[in-house]
Amino acid sequence: LQDAAVVGKVFWLGAVERIGQLDRTEAEHVLHSLERKEFVRRERRSSVGDESQYLFRHLLVRDVAYSQIPRAARADKHRVAADWIESLGRPDDHAEMLAHHYLTALELDKAAGVDTQDLAERARLRLLEAGDRAYALSAFPAAMRSYTAALDLWPPDDPQRPQLLLRVGRVAVRTES
């Protein structure tokens, strides 16, 4: 339950397998057991290729399972979840999920006093991609959230920062009109 909770309300067999370091058969068995106990439900269709998709029957179960994970372990699990999502390909389709997992891992590591330089770079790049994806879909408030979060992580002297500022300005103009 904890490994699935890291992914979110909706999760996939492959993610649980990777996060929990289980083999596929063992992960299927565990999820089947959780399904029988009515903690999770398997969906008929999956939004991720050939992966079985599940969801938590009650958000409270997910929230309790997630809150029981120690912070350091949570950061690692979010990093592994992001790695699994990246392994799926199609980064444009998963940009927001990637940004969420990297940003969450970054915040947890910062709180624990862990060096976050590499994670900060991954998070800001995924936030930029999530902003670009949201902008392309005319989801301007989501684009603004992603761009401003990326801007918070962007080094002030980086040569790409002006391009990000331009993106923020473009979204601001679209939002106000």
Side-chain angles (χ1 to χ4, degrees), residues 8-87:
K9 180 181 178 183
V10 175
F11 58 94
W12 298 269
L13 173 62
V16 171
E17 175 186 358
R18 177 88 59 94
I19 295 168
Q21 299 176 350
L22 305 169
D23 66 39
R24 193 149 189 98
T25 305
E26 188 178 2
E28 286 174 334
H29 176 72
V30 169
L31 289 174
H32 182 69
S33 173
L34 292 172
E35 190 176 16
R36 278 196 324 252
K37 294 174 186 173
E38 297 189 2
F39 288 120
V40 301
R41 182 178 75 218
R42 184 175 177 175
E43 298 284 88
R44 293 184 190 273
R45 295 186 184 152
S46 177
S47 60
V48 175
D50 295 329
E51 290 291 337
S52 297
Q53 180 171 306
Y54 293 82
L55 69 93
F56 281 92
R57 285 185 174 266
H58 304 285
L59 282 180
L60 185 58
V61 171
R62 186 240 171 222
D63 292 347
V64 169
Y66 185 78
S67 69
Q68 291 178 339
I69 306 169
R71 285 184 186 216
R74 262 190 241 171
D76 290 338
K77 289 177 185 288
H78 277 287
R79 222 179 341 272
V80 173
D83 290 342
W84 178 79
I85 293 165
E86 283 184 332
S87 76

Side-chain angles (χ1 to χ4, degrees), residues 40-171:
V40 301
R41 182 178 75 218
R42 184 175 177 175
E43 298 284 88
R44 293 184 190 273
R45 295 186 184 152
S46 177
S47 60
V48 175
D50 295 329
E51 290 291 337
S52 297
Q53 180 171 306
Y54 293 82
L55 69 93
F56 281 92
R57 285 185 174 266
H58 304 285
L59 282 180
L60 185 58
V61 171
R62 186 240 171 222
D63 292 347
V64 169
Y66 185 78
S67 69
Q68 291 178 339
I69 306 169
R71 285 184 186 216
R74 262 190 241 171
D76 290 338
K77 289 177 185 288
H78 277 287
R79 222 179 341 272
V80 173
D83 290 342
W84 178 79
I85 293 165
E86 283 184 332
S87 76
L88 298 173
R90 299 179 16 220
D92 287 347
D93 293 341
H94 305 118
E96 192 170 348
M97 281 195 308
L98 283 167
H100 164 75
H101 287 293
Y102 279 127
L103 192 56
T104 303
L106 175 66
E107 290 168 353
L108 290 166
D109 276 355
K110 274 184 181 176
V114 176
D115 177 32
T116 59
Q117 187 173 359
D118 178 54
L119 199 51
E121 182 176 348
R122 290 175 128 190
R124 69 184 166 94
L125 293 174
R126 296 307 169 259
L127 284 162
L128 177 64
E129 291 168 2
D132 289 347
R133 173 79 171 160
Y135 185 83
L137 296 172
S138 298
F140 302 124
M144 184 61 88
R145 283 191 301 274
S146 294
Y147 286 149
T148 55
L151 196 56
D152 290 343
L153 298 173
W154 218 274
D157 58 345
D158 189 288
Q160 292 180 334
R161 187 176 173 92
Q163 289 296 321
L164 178 55
L165 288 167
L166 181 62
R167 286 176 166 105
V168 169
R170 255 191 287 160
V171 172

